[in-house]
Amino acid sequence: MSGGDKLDFEVRPNPQPVAAAERAALMANPGFGRVFTDHMVTIRYAEGKGWYDARVEARAPIPMDPASAVLHYAQEIFEGLKAYSAADGSVTMFRPDANAARFNESARRMAMPELPEAVFIDSLRHLVEIDRAWLPTSEEASLYLRPFMFASEVFLGVRPSNEYLYAVIGSPVGSYFARGGVQPVDVWVSPTYTRAAPGGTGEAKFGGNYASSLVAQAEAIEHGCDQVVFLDAVQRRYVDELGGMNIFFVYDDGTLVTPPLGGTILRGITRESLITLVRQSGGTVLEQPVAFDDWRADAASGRLREVFACGTAAVITPIGQVRYPDGEFTIADGNPGEVTTRLRQTLVDIQRGRVEDTNGWIHRIG
Ligand SMILES: *Cc1c(COP(=O)(O)O)cnc(C)c1O
């Protein structure tokens, strides 16, 4: 069928799933993005035909012609969200509708077809249901879901592909950072590289954005830091975000500030959820530019109390030290701050179903 909002998925269970004992061993310490489940979802798209051939099948290599468009022109987008085992034993996802909407925003920017939101959410549900045994139950762990889509037409030439493959894979994950949960990370403010320019692709969850950030991340690691912070591409003055996380600043009067969206910052669902939660509890969040010079001065004066990064993978991660070519500074005493810790707990409690979800963010799978 084409163009509709529903697709029937053909379910072909993996005839050779990983044995239970081996699965348990893999899940004992999964790290991040190294262990994968038994299945994947695939859906094909062809111009004129629409979405078709939706399947849940054994996770396996995807055969590719060497002239597949994605290999040359990089038309590829993705999403990332988690399935959680909730306090009452059910399985939940956090705001999958927001991921579906962002996926389609990314698709539009990259001249790719949109996937109906209901089909996107169905694809996630199918994978979680068939791979339920891969859902970790411990507090720090979850099943990371990675929907993605790429240009699969076989041709050379710079134009949008007429064929695409959408797929979802799942990966049981522990803590994103090797050092674990709420340990502060050190960040490097890159003097060399920017992530996104006005009119560019920074707002899309587009593979190329991450390819171009790798050398900046390497620069951060060379300087003893965990993550890179990017400044704006025009003036090299204002903080945009990290390589894969948004950033918040907490001041001594309790106000939170996060850089405004506007084309060069990824519209983080964690970012938006935190803004909502803080405002609902009577707090103030300003979406306004933060100059790097003010970041440094306010850290020195003590007006700036906490800084944290946020995103699905790492939830909320405090930032301890900030390094740049001419020096370094520490945020407060370098330890996780009170606001950071409290917000992280609130968000995780909602995701795990321990506190009431008054915003309709929790999507129960069963
Ligand atoms: C995915 C991502 C984020 C965080 O988005 P969430 O929806 O909160 O996971 C932030 N910045 C970049 C560059 C990202 O790719």
Side-chain angles (χ1 to χ4, degrees):
M1 64 169 287
S2 71
D5 273 9
K6 277 265 166 230
L7 275 181
D8 288 328
F9 287 75
E10 185 189 337
V11 181
R12 300 181 185 172
N14 187 336
Q16 289 176 305
V18 172
E22 191 187 337
R23 187 177 64 233
L26 287 167
M27 289 174 70
N29 184 14
F32 196 96
R34 291 189 289 106
V35 175
F36 298 96
T37 66
D38 289 314
H39 296 86
M40 64 181 182
V41 171
T42 56
I43 313 178
R44 299 205 165 260
Y45 178 91
E47 199 61 38
K49 184 171 179 181
W51 293 100
Y52 68 101
D53 207 2
R55 290 188 197 171
V56 184
E57 61 192 349
R59 203 182 87 87
I62 298 170
M64 263 197 173
D65 189 281
S68 297
V70 66
L71 299 178
H72 305 271
Y73 312 111
Q75 252 189 313
E76 191 272 349
I77 59 170
F78 65 94
E79 270 301 325
L81 73 164
K82 287 172 171 173
Y84 305 88
S85 66
D88 63 1
S90 64
V91 182
T92 63
M93 292 189 289
F94 185 71
R95 306 189 67 184
D97 50 329
N99 292 93
R102 189 173 64 189
F103 192 67
N104 284 336
E105 285 169 25
S106 298
R108 285 195 293 275
R109 178 62 183 83
M110 307 315 294
M112 298 166 89
E114 294 181 39
L115 183 70
E117 183 176 316
V119 176
F120 181 94
I121 292 176
D122 253 12
S123 73
L124 304 174
R125 184 178 53 76
H126 272 293
L127 189 69
V128 173
E129 278 174 356
I130 201 164
D131 281 333
R132 171 100 191 225
W134 291 92
L135 183 80
T137 50
S138 72
E139 172 68 33
E140 275 289 303
S142 53
L143 182 63
Y144 186 78
L145 302 171
R146 167 52 59 84
F148 61 103
M149 167 167 51
F150 62 85
S152 54
E153 191 187 354
V154 176
F155 76 103
L156 296 180
V158 181
R159 62 157 171 83
S161 173
N162 285 321
E163 293 167 20
Y164 295 88
L165 182 70
Y166 166 83
V168 190
I169 54 174
S171 173
V173 297
S175 185
Y176 184 71
F177 291 109
R179 53 173 89 168
V182 275
Q183 292 300 313
V185 297
D186 297 341
V187 297
W188 169 251
V189 181
S190 179
T192 319
Y193 303 105
T194 59
R195 179 182 172 277
T201 58
E203 213 174 14
K205 235 172 155 69
F206 152 57
N209 289 341
Y210 306 86
S212 69
S213 76
L214 298 175
V215 65
Q217 177 66 19
E219 192 185 67
I221 290 167
E222 268 167 37
H223 289 88
C225 295
D226 305 281
Q227 290 281 309
V228 59
V229 171
F230 289 105
L231 299 180
D232 79 279
V234 177
Q235 300 187 56
R236 305 279 184 115
R237 243 187 102 192
Y238 296 101
V239 178
D240 266 355
E241 61 172 319
L242 279 65
M245 282 183 283
N246 297 118
I247 190 166
F248 280 78
F249 300 81
V250 185
Y251 294 91
D252 57 358
D253 64 353
T255 301
L256 279 77
V257 177
T258 191
L261 303 173
T264 62
I265 293 180
L266 204 286
R267 183 190 292 279
I269 295 162
T270 316
R271 173 189 181 279
E272 195 206 295
S273 304
L274 293 174
I275 291 174
T276 301
L277 288 174
V278 170
R279 288 182 179 159
Q280 284 174 343
S281 68
T284 302
V285 186
L286 305 175
E287 294 180 75
Q288 66 183 33
V290 176
F292 176 66
D293 288 344
D294 292 336
W295 183 1
R296 190 178 46 202
D298 290 339
S301 75
R303 192 169 96 78
L304 179 65
R305 302 305 305 158
E306 307 177 26
V307 181
F308 63 83
C310 69
T312 297
V315 195
I316 289 180
T317 300
I319 291 175
Q321 286 229 332
V322 184
R323 296 208 182 110
Y324 57 107
D326 302 329
E328 59 182 51
F329 58 90
T330 304
I331 311 301
D333 63 2
N335 288 313
E338 198 187 305
V339 175
T340 302
T341 308
R342 182 163 38 79
L343 276 175
R344 183 188 164 97
Q345 194 60 49
T346 304
L347 190 60
V348 171
D349 283 346
I350 294 171
Q351 289 167 340
R352 299 280 170 170
R354 284 190 296 255
V355 303
E356 199 194 344
D357 163 35
T358 55
N359 292 295
W361 287 343
I362 297 303
H363 186 100
R364 226 165 267 282
I365 300 178

